[in-house]
Amino acid sequence: MKEPVKTIRETDEEARRLARRLIRAARFAAIGVLEPGTGFPFTSRVLTGVDVDGTPLILVSALSVHTNALVADSRASLLFGEPGKGDPLAHPRITVRTRAETVARSDLNHARLRARFIARHPKAALYADFPDFAFFRMVPESASLNGGFGKAFVLEASDLLITSPAISDLEKIEAEAIAHMNTEHPDAVDTYARLHGKSKTTGWKVCGIDCAGIDLANGDDLLRIEFDTPLEQVSGLRGKLTELSRTL
Amino acid sequence: MKEPVKTIRETDEEARRLARRLIRAARFAAIGVLEPGTGFPFTSRVLTGVDVDGTPLILVSALSVHTNALVADSRASLLFGEPGKGDPLAHPRITVRTRAETVARSDLNHARLRARFIARHPKAALYADFPDFAFFRMVPESASLNGGFGKAFVLEASDLLITSPAISDLEKIEAEAIAHMNTEHPDAVDTYARLHGKSKTTGWKVCGIDCAGIDLANGDDLLRIEFDTPLEQVSGLRGKLTELSRTL
């Protein structure tokens, strides 16, 4: 994270897209919190998901250091983007500064968050309903993107979030649309993965649809595909998906 | 990181070995620091090495957020252990609470740290001597080890460090011993990797020797092999290495 003014590049759409893809394609992140009592910066690992508005989600145990820390001080950062082959520092990563908001089971949003999270992490269904587990929405405040050596950007929350008048309408049909794609159009889903993720494998499933794009899963792999422009009306979804088969 | 008392297991030698291997086989870590001014917990990625006494090392740019943070407040945690296939939370990881100590170029230890670090990260030779780069020794205070679901341990600094009367003697011959192994006994080095790291590849090179074990590198892969017991006299090194060819 090279961040002093002189090394920071101007944020462009390419940087925003990279940032969103790092967050939305992630299975996990390193979370930094303040340890209660000492204020020591503590970093650990959490599974992550994404809400319909682009807000990162975590599912954590009340027995963990990070959960106790978030309850005492909601400030936390999430480091997304894992290195592949070669120099670890040549791979893009992003640190998102967030405020953690706990989501009670009685919260109207709980069912949606839970469904979206478990679609990405099917095994989390085994413990998501344990009384000591809870979801947090990690509301972004700002972010530091490092796209590789010398490619540092500072982003605002608005660069990371999804805004569209269609969010609540899409939310109502998301589960149905996902099921439809996975059962009726499995070949199209594999085509998306091939065209947009350079995937050479088949068996991809849609695990999320929001106004900015779709999330695909295949075993341990997650793939985020962003629409060219956000969906403005839910009736436009079919057209957006058709575009994904054609693009490139 | 499940850490409240009731879920913590008693630290045994297996846990200590796992902890050491996670730290000593790592190429990089997530570092958590306190952002100057705000005290916000900031997490980013750093390359890591290990000093002869087991202390983690980092090489960082003065332009980075984490370096500025460490200069203002030396408290930092390092998260080691990357997930492989399957559930990310099933893979072991360790958070080490540390105090960062900068190592000036005039410091008598600088040449040793630099050589050890670059043996692991050959590309770091390109920038290690830039005026804005510096090494820090990240002196452990305690650690939280998570060996997978329900396998949480709390470790002390002494569980992670290497103590032996032979440290300074071994330090003097380390470079020579490494060169000897890599040029005269390449087959033995591959044998270590096969026997102790289940490696199916050849071309491994020794990149570090200390009183507790050896580090091997092969392209992007690092492997840490611990001796059964620490080396107590430098004259015993040959015997320790011979044992590694026989064990299992």
Side-chain angles (χ1 to χ4, degrees), chain A residues 1 3-4 27 32 34-35 38 40-45 63-65 75 77 81-82 85-86 95 97-98 220, chain B residues 1 3-4 27 32 34-35 38 40-41 43-45 63-65 75 77 81-82 85-86 88 95 97-98 220:
Chain A
M1 298 292 122
E3 199 160 292
R27 299 168 70 216
L34 300 170
E35 276 201 277
T38 64
F40 204 100
F42 188 88
T43 299
S44 52
R45 180 164 297 132
L63 301 177
S64 68
V65 173
R75 294 179 293 173
S77 65
E82 288 303 299
K85 299 196 173 194
T95 303
R97 293 178 194 80
T98 70
D220 291 344
Chain B
M1 298 292 124
E3 199 159 290
R27 300 168 70 216
L34 299 171
E35 275 200 278
T38 64
F40 204 100
T43 298
S44 52
R45 179 164 297 130
L63 301 178
S64 68
V65 172
R75 294 179 290 173
S77 64
E82 288 303 301
K85 298 195 175 198
T95 304
R97 293 179 196 79
T98 70
D220 291 343

Side-chain angles (χ1 to χ4, degrees), chain B residues 4-50:
Chain B
V5 175
K6 63 175 175 171
T7 65
I8 299 294
R9 297 192 183 188
E10 193 173 343
T11 301
D12 54 15
E13 194 52 24
E14 193 185 335
R16 287 189 198 95
R17 283 190 169 258
L18 173 59
R20 292 165 182 163
R21 218 164 50 231
L22 286 170
I23 297 168
R24 295 171 193 174
R27 300 168 70 216
F28 58 88
I31 186 171
V33 296
L34 299 171
E35 275 200 278
T38 64
F40 204 100
F42 188 88
T43 298
S44 52
R45 179 164 297 130
V46 288
L47 293 189
T48 59
V50 182

Side-chain angles (χ1 to χ4, degrees), chain B residues 19 22 36 50 64 67 73 88 102 105 175 201 210 218:
Chain B
L22 286 170
V50 182
S64 68
T67 306
D73 188 324
T102 185
R105 281 185 170 72
T201 59
D210 58 62
N218 195 358

Side-chain angles (χ1 to χ4, degrees), chain A residues 28-75:
Chain A
F28 58 88
I31 185 170
V33 296
L34 300 170
E35 276 201 277
T38 64
F40 204 100
F42 188 88
T43 299
S44 52
R45 180 164 297 132
V46 288
L47 293 189
T48 59
V50 182
D51 201 358
V52 285
D53 65 352
T55 299
L57 303 174
I58 61 173
L59 171 64
V60 289
S61 162
L63 301 177
S64 68
V65 173
H66 45 244
T67 305
N68 283 289
L70 294 178
V71 169
D73 188 324
S74 64
R75 294 179 293 173

